[in-house]
Amino acid sequence: MTVVRAVETWTLEPLTQYVTEAGARLVLLMTPAGQVLAQSGFSRAVDVMAASALGAAIVASTNELARQMGQPPFAGLTHQGRRHGIFLSAFDTDRGTLVVLVVYELDASSLGLVQLFLEQLVADLRAASPKAGVPKQVLAADFERELNDSLNSLFGR
Amino acid sequence: MSTPFSPLGRALDLITRVRGVRGAMVVSRADGLVVAEQLMEGIKGGAVAALASSLAGRLQRAMVSAGLGPSQFWHLQCDHGALLVVPAGEGLLLVAVTEADVNVGLVRLELLRAAETGA
């Protein structure tokens, strides 16, 4: 069974259920800025950082593309390879806009399953998300400690 | 999703004309998405498509592992209805959602006929 690790614990249960039901290989839940809230399936911090940065960049690029076309932001983006598929979607919660990046193996899951259970994941995250409060002031001195705490949470150290 | 005048629409039309059929769909086998559908209200086409294609993939592996070859027709009977599925060509599934007392033989015939015509 794939373990889900979360920096923000309210994401843990919805994401664990999603990973199980959708048969996802890798899942990353993050903000549009690339800040990771939870992950499943990754074993190295460098992979999480690369995936979150690239995922955030794709969301930013496609949002801008949609804006230039005079359209609302895309609801989802999918890429299918020979053995794996990648699905990226952004949605609003009380915690702000969140982005989910899902990698699935084609012989274990499908785009249909990934999308189907995403609806449930979004509903569960919306129900569980804390209400937006006043943003905490980030001090340089705290930044490294918070970053290390987040990485420790994401990799169970 | 499909017009009754398209080939897919015509195939689905013939299936849904059978009494007791609540809907029919053409589903992409690889990604579990709906290609065309004619469904009664209340049937979640996207969910049925995704789960049927997932099941089809697993059944296919079970059949091949058992040395039986690929499946040609499957029938899942439930308390309040049934799901009838026929693989159509390389990448599609024809799915019928029916009531419990449907004439399964007739629906199967229409599904196989639609599959033969390349729906």
Side-chain angles (χ1 to χ4, degrees):
Chain A
M1 186 182 153
T2 309
V3 177
V4 176
R5 303 228 180 252
V7 177
E8 299 199 11
T9 50
W10 59 272
T11 62
L12 204 55
E13 198 178 320
L15 208 60
T16 302
Q17 193 175 346
Y18 178 74
V19 169
T20 307
E21 289 181 329
R25 170 78 184 80
L26 303 169
V27 180
L28 202 54
L29 184 68
M30 59 191 170
T31 66
Q35 182 196 350
V36 179
L37 272 59
Q39 68 93 356
S40 168
F42 288 89
S43 56
R44 298 191 313 162
V46 68
D47 295 335
V48 170
M49 285 189 274
S52 60
L54 293 168
I58 292 168
V59 170
S61 306
T62 53
N63 280 355
E64 179 56 20
L65 192 61
R67 196 185 67 80
Q68 300 234 358
M69 291 163 63
Q71 299 290 322
F74 297 106
L77 179 76
T78 180
H79 170 83
Q80 191 158 312
R82 287 179 63 186
R83 290 176 49 219
H84 296 93
I86 300 171
F87 182 73
L88 194 64
S89 181
F91 50 91
D92 291 324
T93 68
D94 287 332
R95 168 70 172 74
T97 301
L98 297 181
V99 174
V100 66
L101 172 72
V102 184
V103 178
Y104 56 96
E105 292 175 8
L106 296 180
D107 58 0
S109 186
S110 67
L111 178 61
L113 282 182
V114 166
Q115 286 184 331
L116 172 65
F117 291 112
L118 183 78
E119 289 172 24
Q120 187 60 46
L121 173 68
V122 172
D124 290 347
L125 286 173
R126 281 182 179 147
S129 66
K131 304 290 174 238
V134 180
K136 193 174 62 176
Q137 192 180 359
V138 179
L139 301 174
D142 296 336
F143 180 76
E144 191 174 343
R145 182 178 49 77
E146 287 193 7
L147 181 63
N148 284 332
D149 288 348
S150 297
L151 288 171
N152 289 342
S153 301
L154 287 172
F155 293 96
R157 291 173 189 146
Chain B
M1 179 159 291
S2 65
T3 69
F5 307 107
S6 68
L8 289 179
R10 270 199 300 275
L12 294 180
D13 198 36
L14 289 172
I15 298 164
T16 51
R17 273 187 203 177
V18 179
R19 202 166 69 86
V21 172
R22 299 184 62 214
M25 288 187 293
V26 180
V27 176
S28 163
R29 199 170 179 152
D31 52 25
L33 300 178
V34 178
V35 176
E37 66 181 10
Q38 278 186 24
L39 298 171
M40 281 189 188
E41 207 170 323
I43 299 174
K44 295 175 181 170
V48 175
L51 296 167
S53 91
S54 171
L55 199 53
R58 283 157 211 269
L59 276 176
Q60 174 87 349
R61 268 177 273 165
M63 297 296 182
V64 171
S65 301
L68 303 174
S71 61
Q72 293 173 352
F73 168 72
W74 35 284
H75 172 196
L76 288 177
Q77 183 70 51
C78 306
D79 285 349
H80 303 293
L83 195 70
L84 309 175
V85 182
V86 165
E90 283 296 302
L92 298 175
L93 292 173
L94 278 164
V95 179
V97 182
T98 74
E99 289 169 1
D101 59 350
V102 74
N103 182 338
V104 174
L106 193 55
V107 182
R108 177 178 181 270
L109 199 65
E110 290 296 351
L111 286 168
L112 289 169
R113 199 175 284 165
E116 272 176 20
T117 58

